[in-house]
Structures are given as structure tokens and as C-alpha cells.
Amino acid sequence: MAELHILGQLAGGGGFELPSLLCKWVLEAGPNFRLLEGITAGQTHCDTPNEGEPAVWSHPMDIHYAVRGIDGWPRMRLEVYGVDIYGRTELAGYGQCTIPTVVGSHDLTVCTWRPCGSLREQMSAFFLGGVPRLKHTEIVSSAADRFRLQTQPSGEVYLKVSILCKDFARYGVHC
Amino acid sequence: MADGYQPYVTYRIADPIENLQLQVILRKRKTRVSAPVDGAAKRKGSPPRRARELERGAAAEETPLQDDPDDEGGEEGERRAAAPSADGAGDEARGGADEDVVEVARTTFRWQTKAFSPTEVKTIRRLLDDQSTGRSRVLSRLLGRAAESQVSTQMYKLLLAREREMEAAGQLDSYAGEILHTRIHSEGFFDEAEWSMRLTTSRDEQETPLAREVLSGTSLSAHRLGESASVSMWILAELPSKDLKKRGAQQDGSTFLSRWRGRRDRVVDNEATEAVVLCTLRLYSGGRLDVKPGLSTDPSEAPAAGARWFQLAGGRYEYKIENVAEAPASAAEGEENKSGRLTRKPAAAAAGRAVPGLDFQMPPRQSAYVYHHIEILKTSHFGDAAQYVQFYALAADGWTIRPSCVVNAVTQTSTVAGTQQVATFGFPIELMLESNGLPASARPPLTLFFSVMSVDLWDRHRHLGYAHFSPLAQSGSGVFEVAFWKVAESRGSAMQSFFVGGAEEMRDLRAIALPDGFASPCLNKYGLSTDSSGKMYLRVNTLLQQEQETGAGAKARARPVVAEKPPPAVRKQRAPYRAIKDAHTLGASSTAADLVRRRLEERTRAKLVPQAR
């Protein structure tokens, strides 16, 4: 059985409209990946960056999988929330990214989006808060059709990930 | 359907589908009123409603307040649905001992076997009575039985056959229907909750025109036109409506019609009931079986992992779906009893060779697995209108895309932002390819065809560009920029596009890349006039898997294959992946430059031979 180590950190996020940001993350993997050690979900602290600078989370990750096949490679699902000046917590964006399949260190940039409502809802969200959210966040990392979903671009999340593989070459997997 | 988001789970059938035996167990939690019912509905013998309510009130007094699901509200139900209980056998055993968990029904279904609900049986019998009494169809319609008149003669025959079976079995009672029943493919059924499901909390989200047509009943079977060829079956449960509603929860479906349909509860024995879909099965060619929400016991997992119980809306009922044919067969049972086994797609590689003593899926000998995980990050410079991307994947000759992969899809519609007109998608495409023996051509195993389309304020769609992308069959990660082009517009078509909408389209997207089966040495696209449009950014992660050949035997086998000295790029490979290497060798030896050089050499030799003579 091969093993996969995912080390790194949720470095930060930028380009969002809200001043203070936090991020919820979940690492999903297929049935071929069995968690040996580590935590596959978490939430960062709420960071208020200086103006024009990205938020800094530096949220650590250290996950160890036992691998039975290459199908279902882990992917990370992100939900970014922001806190405005009135203390209201709002959705800032959803995003997802695949953990790189190549051994080494990687700097990833995850583009995020969020559902956009009607003009009335946008006005309501501006004055009262409460932007539309997904009812089922599994849609973010699903490859199924999303033709009914209307979204708008949001900011970016920065990830620093290092990948270590053990015994993959033994099973003919080149990574 | 089960509460919460439930995607389809794909399985591969190792045996004929007729051997499939799906056992559904429905149980009710936190109540002491329902007596266990085995299979057929025994509603006639149940106590009156008032008495049962009193009995339930007494039970609620005995149990602590926080244990009463009625007091938990909708949020608690959703919380439980988000994490399906995996208590498995232990919980099931507890179900027998604990009075708070009562098994309501347990039925085993075979593929395309019709089981009737109590409502269906009553409807069919009423129609038979109407025909015998001579009541006209017009009168039935006036009495609000328009839907009932759609019951086909096939249903009559199936019901009669079912009654004959009961008579043959010695059961004198007439067939009253079953709580757990089925809808088969020929009935043209559709899951209303699936079509009217809302993805976001936005009020702006509306049903698609196709969904509206289907849900309104004007074109009940029209939606099948766009579906891929599959045979469907649904397993439903007819349950009291009051048990399925959450306190304070809003019903799905935004339109008046869907709300009205949701309230249109059927009445059986003076008690409002509602049919909820527990499981949807879709069988595709090639042995692919999609099950929603999946089997409770994953064949690829250890039995000790336990079975999942899926929860219905309202939080009172939960159910389990298992393939009985998957149960371990005893030694006395023959091989035929072991049939009907399902294999989860990732475990389907067991058809290949497994390394003894190790549990890693290996590809068959002389073939390779290529695993692409592609993400559509964003598009840029496509204009100001909201955009979406549609794609489809095509495997080259000698390669097969696993049936569980999504080969064509449409992303969400994204508005653009910034001066670069960036639209963000973050859409994953996961494709796993398997080579059928050694590759026969030098082409990359996968080609993705993209089309970017825009939607304007008047809901007019138009093509903004086409592109194709062929990720290399090499392990690696990277972000790629794909440039798009669109068919050039004449002045007339540009005006038509501006005022009326629409744009020139490609009839066959395969013509965007190298056409399938193209063998000519020159691909001439001179007749096609195009304009450059925007760009798309893709993040690609690729993995290769192939058995490593070691020892002198591998070298001896590999030697005659390589006719020419491989180019430096091939020699730099870190591992001898022969299938991929052969493809590179083929590609390196069949270029036009090589052909020209060989012909020149032949001509030179032909000139030299007469001189030598």
C-alpha cells in the first residue's frame, strides 16, 4: 500500500470585498484514500489585513493517507467568509482545487466564486447583509452540470502545499 | 429522496442486471406507535388516528423532551442527514431490541419489477369500477381524475398478475399495495424533487424552461430526448405526509405550480400520504449502474465499516439499501447465487491484475492508466456578458474513458469582473483513461473540446469561442492557457447576432481538433475563417500508472520495438513506461520530416546505383 503525505498551509486570501476574512476548508478524497493521520477539515482564524494586502491565515495542514489506487485523488473545498465593519459574517466565496499529483512544493492560487442573486437581493445584501449561499456545498467540488447556477467572481485563496509520496513507484505510478 | 444533497454513485455490474436484488429496509425512529409491517401495507388493521395520537402523547411523556424529533425542528434533521449514521449491524440489532426504532417495511426488489403502492391499487380499481359501471372518461375528468385516466393497460395486467400470484400463494386478502413500491422505466416517471431542486438560497434561482415543461405535465416524456440511453427504475415509499414535513421548513420549488403539486397529497384511508423517492437507478450500456443515493454498504469497503442509513425529510424515517446478491454466499450455494455482484468503479480495476499480498489497483498487463484531473479556473477577454463553458472529452483510439467519469458537462454561468473581463468557474473535470493494450497511435489519449458561450440580458445564448486541449500523458502539474477562436461573422450575421441573438456555430466539435480517424498527411482548414477571442486557464494534474518492467526480460522485449534511436526527450524518461514510450517512438518516427528525408535518401541511392554499374 502506498502512502501520501500532504504538508503545507493555507497561506491567505486576497481580492475579496470584505475587510476581515476567514476560511473553512475540507479535504475530500475517494475511497482509495484512507486517512492515517491528520485532520481533513478546519477553519482558519479571522484576519484583518492592511489595506491592499491579502489576509494572512498560515493555517497548517499535515495529512497522511494510505493509498490503494490513483482514482479519487484528494481535493480541497474552500469556503471563504468575511466579517464586515458591523460584525456581520457573510459568504465571500467558494472554491476548490486538486492537491497536486507531483512530488515537491507547490504554490497554488484558488479562484473563488459566489452565487449572485437578483438585483433586489444584491441591494438587500448591501444594506442588510445576507448574500445567497449554496444549499449544498458538495456542488463546489462536483463535476456535475451547474447550468442553473449563476455566480460572480470573488477573490483568490493562496495555498502552499508540499507532496511526499511513498511506494508509488513500486506500483508503477509515476509522480 | 433522502434529505440533503445526494449525488449518483456509479457501480459496475459484473453479472446480468436481472440478478440484482436490492433490499430496502425502512424504519421509523423515536416513536412507539407503529407496529412492524412486513411487506404489504396493513393499514386497515391500524388503530384510529385519534387513538394513535393519544398513544404517541403518552410515549412522549415517557421519553425525555429532547429525544422527541418533533421538538428538534428542521435543522436537527438536516444535521443528521449531513452525517448519515454508520452504526451498521450494531444499530440494526439495537433496532430489534429498542422500542424507539421500529422497522416499517422490508422488501427485496429485482430489476424492472413493478410493485404497486396502495394509492396506485386504489386508482386502478376505481378505474375498473368506472368502466364496469359505464362511467365515461369525460365524467372522470370532470371529477378530477384526469391523471388517473393515464394508467395504462400494462398496469392493469401487472396488477392482475400480482393478484394471481397472491391467490396462488394462498393469500385470500386482495392485494392492497405496498409501502415500498417501484416505478419502472415504461411508466415514464420522473422525480419531481430532482427537477425542482434549488441549489442556492437565492430567490432569483428559477427552474429551467425544460423543468417547467416537465413539471407542469405538458411534456412528461420530453426530457428523455436529451438524456443518454439508459433504463431507469425508482424505489418509492408511501408515507404519511405529516411525518415528512419539517416544522418551519420551506418546501422546495419556487413556483406556484410546484408548491401546489407538493401540497397535492393523496388520501388513503382518510390519512394524507405522500410518495417519496428513496432510490433512483439508471442502467447504461457497458454495465454502468448509477444509484442515487448509493448503496448503504460500499462493496469496496470492509464489512466492519457498517451500513449507512439515509434519512428522509422530516427526520422520522430512515432507510437502508443493500444488494442482497452481494452477501457472502455459503459453500452450499452454487455459483449462480454469487451473481449480481456490484463493484464500485474504482475497484473495477480488479479485472486487471492485483499484486499478491498488496491491495493496490494495478492496470492489466501491457496497458496503462492515465488519470487527469483538470480544473477550469477562469476565462478572460470574452466580453462583458455572463459566460459559461461547455466541454466534452474524447478518448483517442486505443484508450477508454472509465464509465464513471463525466465526459461532458456545463459549468455555471458566471458574470465577468475587472478590466480583463475575468469569469471564474473552478470547475473540476476528473477523467481516468485505460489503454486497450499497447497504444496504436501517437496521439495523446485525451482531447477536450471547449466551447464558451454567453448569456445576455434577454437570455439569448451565443458562442464566444472554441478550443481544444490535449493534456500530455505524462505525470505532472501545471497551469495552461488555452486560446479560443470563433467563426468569423459576415456583416449580415454580425447584425443578426447583435439584434436577434445567436451566432455561427460549428456543427461538429470534433472538427476543431484533428478529426477522428484522420489519416491524410495534410490537414487543410483553409476554408474556415475565424476570429480570435478570449483565453481560458486550466490547471492540469496528471498521473500515469503502468507496471514497471524490470530485469533482462524487459530489455530483451523492448529492444526490437525501438527501430530508431529515440529522441533525447524520450531518453530522459525516468521510468520505462513502455506503452507511453512506444507512443513517443511512433510519434517521433512518423513525422513528415522523416518521410521526406527517407525519400531523399532512397532517390540518392537510386541515382548512385546506375553510376556504380
Side-chain angles (χ1 to χ4, degrees), chain A residues 32 68 73 75 96 98 102 109 111 113 121 133 135-136 145-146 148-149 151-153 171-174, chain B residues 197 199-203 252 361 371 373 375 409-410 412-413 415 430 475-476 539 544-546 577:
Chain A
N32 288 329
R68 293 189 306 175
W73 197 263
R75 64 177 80 163
Q96 71 93 33
T98 307
V102 179
T109 302
C111 302
W113 51 267
E121 282 177 332
R133 299 184 184 189
K135 294 181 89 173
H136 312 290
D145 274 336
R146 299 181 188 168
R148 284 171 53 195
L149 199 58
T151 64
Q152 65 184 65
Y171 303 105
V173 181
H174 188 197
Chain B
M197 187 184 73
L199 302 176
T200 66
T201 56
S202 171
R203 290 177 190 170
D252 268 359
Q361 297 169 13
Y371 174 79
H373 198 294
E375 187 185 347
V410 180
Q412 74 268 29
T413 305
T415 56
E430 196 171 347
S475 290
R539 183 184 288 132
L544 280 179
Q545 187 185 17
Q546 192 182 23
Y577 298 102

Side-chain angles (χ1 to χ4, degrees), chain B residues 99-429:
Chain B
E99 291 180 0
D100 287 346
V101 181
V102 180
E103 186 177 308
V104 178
R106 177 194 290 253
T107 313
T108 302
F109 298 101
R110 285 183 175 272
W111 181 247
Q112 295 296 321
T113 304
K114 175 67 185 168
F116 291 90
S117 69
T119 307
E120 283 179 303
V121 172
K122 289 192 79 171
T123 305
I124 293 171
R125 291 217 170 108
R126 192 184 298 153
L127 277 174
L128 286 171
D129 291 343
D130 288 352
Q131 286 181 359
S132 61
T133 55
R135 187 181 290 172
S136 66
R137 183 171 291 183
V138 178
L139 187 59
S140 296
R141 282 174 184 272
L142 287 173
L143 290 172
R145 294 174 189 169
E148 294 171 4
S149 63
Q150 294 173 359
V151 178
S152 64
T153 52
Q154 186 198 2
M155 293 297 112
Y156 287 114
K157 290 176 182 173
L158 286 171
L159 180 63
L160 289 173
R162 199 67 195 252
E163 287 183 337
R164 281 194 204 107
E165 281 177 17
M166 288 189 69
E167 285 175 9
Q171 296 177 9
L172 299 176
D173 296 340
S174 60
Y175 181 64
E178 298 168 52
I179 293 174
L180 293 174
H181 58 280
T182 58
R183 291 297 186 99
I184 55 177
H185 188 79
S186 58
E187 291 183 71
F189 179 74
F190 64 92
D191 186 3
E192 193 176 309
E194 190 176 343
W195 281 79
S196 60
M197 187 184 73
R198 299 181 72 185
L199 302 176
T200 66
T201 56
S202 171
R203 290 177 190 170
D204 192 35
E205 186 183 341
Q206 294 174 346
E207 291 159 351
T208 60
L210 180 60
R212 275 198 296 275
E213 286 285 307
V214 172
L215 291 172
S216 65
T218 50
S219 56
L220 280 173
S221 58
H223 66 285
R224 298 197 179 280
L225 294 172
E227 287 183 353
S228 27
S230 65
V231 182
S232 306
M233 180 180 171
W234 296 265
I235 297 172
L236 300 93
E238 194 164 289
L239 298 169
S241 298
K242 60 182 173 57
D243 289 344
L244 297 172
K245 285 173 183 169
K246 294 175 193 169
R247 186 172 289 179
Q250 288 184 346
Q251 199 166 13
D252 268 359
S254 57
T255 62
F256 168 77
L257 186 67
S258 56
R259 283 200 296 273
W260 175 77
R261 289 174 74 93
R263 278 195 222 111
R264 198 188 54 183
D265 299 325
R266 283 163 291 183
V267 176
V268 175
D269 292 344
N270 297 324
E271 188 175 338
T273 60
E274 197 173 333
V276 285
V277 179
L278 304 183
C279 178
T280 306
L281 299 128
R282 287 185 196 279
L283 178 69
Y284 296 87
S285 59
R288 171 184 165 183
L289 179 69
D290 285 2
V291 182
K292 184 180 175 182
L295 296 179
S296 296
T297 311
D298 196 333
S300 62
E301 290 177 0
R308 290 185 298 166
W309 287 85
F310 302 105
Q311 206 149 31
L312 283 172
R316 297 186 75 100
Y317 289 95
E318 57 186 12
Y319 62 99
K320 189 167 76 168
I321 308 162
E322 285 179 318
N323 183 22
V324 181
E326 194 76 20
S330 63
E333 291 177 334
E335 283 297 316
E336 65 276 6
N337 291 338
K338 296 178 185 174
S339 58
R341 293 181 182 274
L342 297 180
T343 312
R344 187 91 186 255
K345 273 297 165 190
R353 287 182 322 103
V355 177
L358 298 169
D359 199 13
F360 204 95
Q361 297 169 13
M362 295 293 291
R365 190 180 288 279
Q366 291 192 333
S367 68
Y369 287 156
V370 179
Y371 174 79
H372 289 296
H373 198 294
I374 302 162
E375 187 185 347
I376 302 174
L377 295 176
K378 58 186 178 181
T379 58
S380 68
H381 300 100
F382 274 107
D384 292 328
Q387 296 153 19
Y388 63 91
V389 180
Q390 52 185 2
F391 76 91
Y392 86 89
L394 183 70
D397 289 340
W399 294 87
T400 310
I401 300 176
R402 288 277 193 87
S404 58
C405 300
V406 178
V407 293
N408 60 324
V410 180
T411 67
Q412 74 268 29
T413 305
S414 173
T415 56
V416 296
T419 53
Q420 295 192 332
Q421 299 162 335
V422 174
T424 304
F425 297 101
F427 190 88
I429 305 168

